[in-house]
Amino acid sequence: MLDRLSFPQPWLSLILFTIWQFLSEGVSGASVVMGLILAWLIPQITQGFWPERPAFMKAWRMPVYLIVVLWDIVIASFSVAKLILSPRKPNPFFVCYPLQLDHPLAISILASTISLTPGTVSADISDDNKTLLIHALDADDDQQVIDAIHKRYEKPLMEMFQ
Amino acid sequence: MSQLAEYVISALLVLGGAFTLIGAIGLARLPDFFTRLHGPTKATTLGVGAIMLSSVIYFSSTGQGLGISEILITVFLLMTAPVSANMLAKAAMHIGVKSMENTQGNPWDQ
């Protein structure tokens, strides 16, 4: 099962190794050895969980997307905070979101984004990976939620994973 | 450490503390399980983010190096919060937790 000394996910291994160097106090012999062990072991163990890799991903679009999402997290926190502190009862909604993305990694990025941004948590995905169930904390109707997510997050992701 | 850095750090600490507190109040005060998920995933995430940012500024301005580990902690937090919220929601739907009466739309049955 564990092929000796192979790195099935070279990028993952490289990222793990680099992160370990930053987390340990300065680069030393010990941290390099430990980093190599982790960079080998973790991809080996988690190999079965990784979906096939995207055919093509425009990674240079990622920073713009991340900035949009970070900004929305700040806004989202303020609006959720306001709702929590106001005496009004929230008006929650279960929304079935029709997915247009089809790559598993793209869908999981979209689902995570939805959970972190204004008033929505992604709750489940249908068995055929076509519909995402979203719980909206405070919404007027479901079409509005769907349009907002599609315009702001799914479109850029679709451009990235093509 | 400069005066300005001190002001920025204290402002960020107060902001972070306030958001963490609001997240906790939301957990106690919102009416049902699904709405309670929203407090910790958003308000608290920003709260911890602000505290981490103040820690980065503190260690950089006292010349102990840029706090890369704090930035990594924030990134890990942003990556794991949605996953745990998703797992909680999934588990709740699996065992059929009731949502509040005025919830519109239906979670599907699986």
Side-chain angles (χ1 to χ4, degrees), chain A residues 53-60 103 157-162:
Chain A
R53 295 165 55 188
F56 183 57
M57 183 179 162
K58 297 173 182 161
W60 71 87
H103 195 274
L157 281 173
M158 281 163 73
E159 281 162 17
M160 234 183 286
F161 286 86
Q162 246 166 26

Side-chain angles (χ1 to χ4, degrees), chain A residues 22 77-78 81 84 86-87 90-94 112 115-117 119-124 126-127 131 133 135 137, chain B residues 19 22 26 29 34-35 38 41-42 46 68-69 72 76 78 82 86 89-90 93 100 102-108 110:
Chain A
F22 281 126
S77 306
F78 275 99
I84 287 172
S86 79
N91 186 22
F93 228 115
F94 276 106
S112 304
S115 292
L116 283 172
T117 46
T120 47
V121 167
S122 56
D124 203 358
S126 64
D127 291 334
T131 316
L133 183 67
H135 184 267
L137 177 57
Chain B
F19 268 108
I22 290 172
R29 189 172 167 259
F34 293 99
T35 51
H38 292 268
T41 45
K42 304 197 185 65
L46 186 69
I68 292 175
S69 42
L72 283 173
F76 290 150
L78 288 181
N86 189 303
K90 239 180 144 135
M93 287 195 317
M100 62 190 281
N102 69 342
T103 304
Q104 297 173 60
N106 265 317
W108 57 59
Q110 278 200 333

